Amino acid sequence: MDVSFNWLAIALAALSSFVIGGLWYSVLFARPWQRAAGVTDEQLTRGTARVFIGSAILAIVMAISLAAFIGPNGPGFGVFAGFATGATFVAAAFGVNYLFERRSLLLFAINGSYNVVTFTVMGAIIGLMQ
């Protein structure tokens, strides 16, 4: 099995998760997400470097894994693979965890849909460039 990576595509895909997350958790759903997650404004000001460094590392890991899965199959498959990954792996796994943790449907909808959108965009970027 020969897997090659377009590192620019991986970097852009990882960066896209920050752009989408910035919009998702501020402009679009900041207050509903904070209430549902039980996160205060004060909590959001602490540990920021750790959150962003850790998130960057994990976004790169996600993009590399998605790129290996997509391979040279093009943008159509990239979008499909990204959507399927976000919806059936990530969001579904969140759903199981949230059910056992007795978390709200609203929190699941916000976080799950963020991952569906993010992985779909990441898949499109990788599919177009790889």
Side-chain angles (χ1 to χ4, degrees), residues 3-14 60 63-65 67 129-130:
V3 178
S4 63
F5 296 109
N6 180 329
W7 294 104
L8 178 59
I10 288 168
L12 291 175
I60 291 167
I64 290 170
S65 178
M129 296 180 69
Q130 190 145 279

Side-chain angles (χ1 to χ4, degrees), residues 50-68:
R50 180 179 66 101
V51 168
F52 279 94
I53 291 168
S55 294
I57 292 167
L58 293 170
I60 291 167
V61 168
M62 293 184 304
I64 290 170
S65 178
L66 193 56

Side-chain angles (χ1 to χ4, degrees), residues 79-93:
V79 169
F80 168 76
F83 176 81
T85 300
T88 67
F89 294 149
V90 181

